[in-house]
Amino acid sequence: MSVRTPDPNPGWLPDFALDETRARVPILYVEAVPVRINALGQVESIGILLRGSSTTGVMTRTLVSGRVMHGESVREALLRNLAKDLGPTAFPQLPASTVPFSVAEYFPLPGVSTLYDPRQHAVSLAYVVPVSGECNPRQDALELTWLTPEEAADPEVLNDMEGGRGALLKEALASVGALPQ
């Protein structure tokens, strides 16, 4: 039996330990493409976040994303990160299955793959998640822009996305039959 004081936030590592871990092992993330759907279940609009890059300070477009904490289920991580980025009244409708539309792999070296994260090697489970409530960006997100599938698939929008996420967004659109021809 342990007599240690329980860690009040056991899912997070201190910054120095996270940096050390990132240098040695891939980190698991979840990513979500928030969408608005009509009564037939067709995607009408896609939510894309605007935030300042933590590494370059440049304004960039991105998706809802975040780490999966130790002891946290993928479903719990999705809900937590959607609430973190979109606010508590977004009312996400999580899929019945936790099978993602894509398993995205980010490498710390540019050119290894389409997806790039200078901080780490990361593996991300990516989902399309309908939201029905009011979305108010929080944390480091400055705004949430709703785009039609045609607008979201515009090469200018896709190329403006952080870390190559434009390719992931295009894959998300294709997975729900919303990629314009």
Side-chain angles (χ1 to χ4, degrees):
M1 180 170 111
S2 174
V3 292
R4 291 181 35 195
T5 303
D7 184 347
N9 197 1
W12 296 115
L13 295 171
D15 287 342
F16 73 91
L18 180 59
D19 290 342
E20 177 70 19
T21 303
R22 281 179 165 159
R24 295 178 184 270
V25 297
I27 304 294
L28 181 62
Y29 280 75
V30 290
E31 291 189 272
V33 178
V35 297
R36 300 264 191 216
I37 57 173
N38 63 21
L40 297 174
Q42 299 163 326
V43 173
E44 291 186 331
S45 56
I46 296 95
I48 300 175
L49 295 167
L50 176 69
R51 68 173 54 147
S53 171
S54 61
T55 55
T56 64
V58 174
M59 299 303 283
T60 185
R61 297 282 176 186
T62 193
L63 304 173
V64 171
S65 67
R67 290 191 307 262
V68 176
M69 296 190 312
H70 179 74
E72 181 179 48
S73 73
V74 168
R75 185 173 297 283
E76 290 166 334
L78 268 171
L79 278 175
R80 180 177 53 78
N81 284 292
L82 283 158
K84 172 186 65 97
D85 284 349
L86 302 180
T89 58
F91 302 129
Q93 300 164 14
L94 293 185
S97 170
T98 56
V99 175
F101 74 83
S102 182
V103 176
E105 192 169 17
Y106 294 83
F107 288 92
L109 303 171
V112 174
S113 91
T114 307
L115 301 170
Y116 170 68
D117 185 338
R119 303 168 301 161
Q120 65 195 338
H121 179 189
V123 175
S124 180
L125 307 175
Y127 300 87
V128 175
V129 179
V131 294
S132 60
E134 185 68 30
C135 296
N136 296 305
R138 300 175 49 182
Q139 299 285 328
D140 60 345
L142 302 173
E143 75 176 29
L144 176 69
T145 305
W146 290 101
L147 303 173
T148 66
E150 293 77 18
E151 292 168 332
D154 183 290
E156 193 171 306
V157 171
L158 296 173
N159 291 335
D160 189 37
M161 297 196 70
E162 178 182 44
R165 283 182 175 86
L168 193 58
L169 177 57
K170 193 172 180 180
E171 192 176 340
L173 291 171
S175 77
V176 293
L179 187 62
Q181 299 301 325

